[in-house]
Amino acid sequence: MPLVEIDHVAIAVRDLEAAIAYYRDTFGVEVEHREVVESDGVEEALLKVAESYIQLLTPTRPDSPVAKSLETRGEGLHHIGYRVADCAAALEQVKAEGHRVIDEAPRPGSRGTTVAFVHPKTAFGTLIELVQE
Ligand code: CO
């Protein structure tokens, strides 16, 4: 079950508007989509670069995983989203290889996608999100 594309690179920020302005003014990249994902306690802005996105993420509540990440690791790279044709099959492959996952089953992501997170502990230190459009 190969990876199709880098769907997004997610960056945790404290001030979403300032980060959006930075990318717009410095790199000429505009917001294509914004969404609050209540289940994850985040607000995101997606900035399109070719067929991929920069995903700026900020917490909407103090108990959000992104809030905890900002507390412990500060702003910066949070996870990488890899596009796959079949999220469930890709997730099963990770488990079949004996690696840890965060989501035991695929779940809804933003933009109507289906997603699952793979644990960084057995993924060489990177939080990986499998994204099916
Ligand atoms: Co993501």
Side-chain angles (χ1 to χ4, degrees), residues 7-10 44 55 57 78-81 110-111 115 117 129 131:
D7 185 81
H8 61 273
V9 173
E44 67 174 47
Q55 181 186 64
L57 278 179
H78 185 265
H79 66 271
I80 298 189
S110 67
R111 291 173 286 149
V115 304
F117 279 91
E129 180 179 14
V131 183

Side-chain angles (χ1 to χ4, degrees), residues 42-55:
V42 298
E43 180 172 6
E44 67 174 47
L46 289 170
L47 289 60
K48 198 162 191 195
V49 179
E51 297 306 312
S52 304
Y53 296 97
I54 299 163
Q55 181 186 64

